[in-house]
Amino acid sequence: MKLKGRNKVSPDFSMSSMTDIVFLLLIFFMLTANSPNALDLLLPKAKGKSTNTQNVSVSINKNLEYFVNNERINGEYIEIELKKALKGQDKPTIILRAEESVAIKEAVHVMDIANRNNYKVILAVRPN
């Protein structure tokens, strides 16, 4: 009499389901991670090249709040903050991100500070 079964149990482990879970978690965390430029500004449209040389970012939103490298500062102290941030830089550059609805005089104020201190200014825009 033969009592041995035909089906054998396999002790092997399949990694495919674990790989799928890890991949889905990776996608989830990439989508929910904060980006360094987290200010929600609607920039004006323009044609032109973008540049990757950035030393300091100055942002102005529609409520006329000033941000230097995503830190909110008082508009009166922007020159002091820029001098601190750009101290010792070989070619000091400011990326100016002014929201589309901001009056031009606010952007010119930052440009005037840059001109007095011999800083280069790049105006950030949305691609057309």
Side-chain angles (χ1 to χ4, degrees), residues 2-35:
K2 234 181 178 182
L3 294 176
K4 200 173 195 182
R6 293 183 190 168
N7 298 334
K8 291 186 177 180
V9 177
S10 174
D12 296 337
F13 180 72
S14 176
M15 288 292 291
S16 63
S17 60
M18 186 65 75
T19 305
D20 292 342
I21 291 172
V22 170
F23 181 69
L24 289 173
L25 284 173
L26 175 69
I27 291 174
F28 174 77
F29 286 123
M30 286 177 60
L31 292 175
T32 59
N34 290 336
S35 66

Side-chain angles (χ1 to χ4, degrees), residues 19-125:
T19 305
D20 292 342
I21 291 172
V22 170
F23 181 69
L24 289 173
L25 284 173
L26 175 69
I27 291 174
F28 174 77
F29 286 123
M30 286 177 60
L31 292 175
T32 59
N34 290 336
S35 66
N37 296 327
L39 293 176
D40 187 25
L41 298 177
L42 182 61
L43 298 174
K45 290 182 181 179
K47 293 180 182 177
K49 290 184 179 180
S50 64
T51 179
N52 290 332
T53 58
Q54 176 179 347
N55 289 336
V56 173
S57 171
V58 175
S59 303
I60 309 170
N61 67 11
K62 61 184 173 187
N63 299 327
L64 300 181
E65 297 172 330
Y66 288 84
F67 297 86
V68 174
N69 289 337
N70 295 331
E71 288 185 32
R72 186 172 179 216
I73 62 163
N74 190 337
E76 298 171 8
Y77 304 114
I78 191 165
E79 186 167 6
I80 296 167
E81 291 294 323
L82 287 174
K83 284 182 180 180
K84 279 196 277 185
L86 292 169
K87 185 177 181 179
Q89 296 288 334
D90 187 31
K91 294 181 181 178
T93 305
I94 298 171
I95 304 290
L96 179 57
R97 303 179 197 290
E99 200 162 354
E100 195 172 30
S101 62
V102 171
I104 193 69
K105 71 176 186 173
E106 304 300 328
V108 170
H109 174 67
V110 175
M111 291 173 158
D112 184 44
I113 292 170
N115 188 34
R116 281 194 307 251
N117 294 291
N118 296 322
Y119 300 150
K120 183 179 175 185
V121 178
I122 299 172
L123 182 62
V125 294

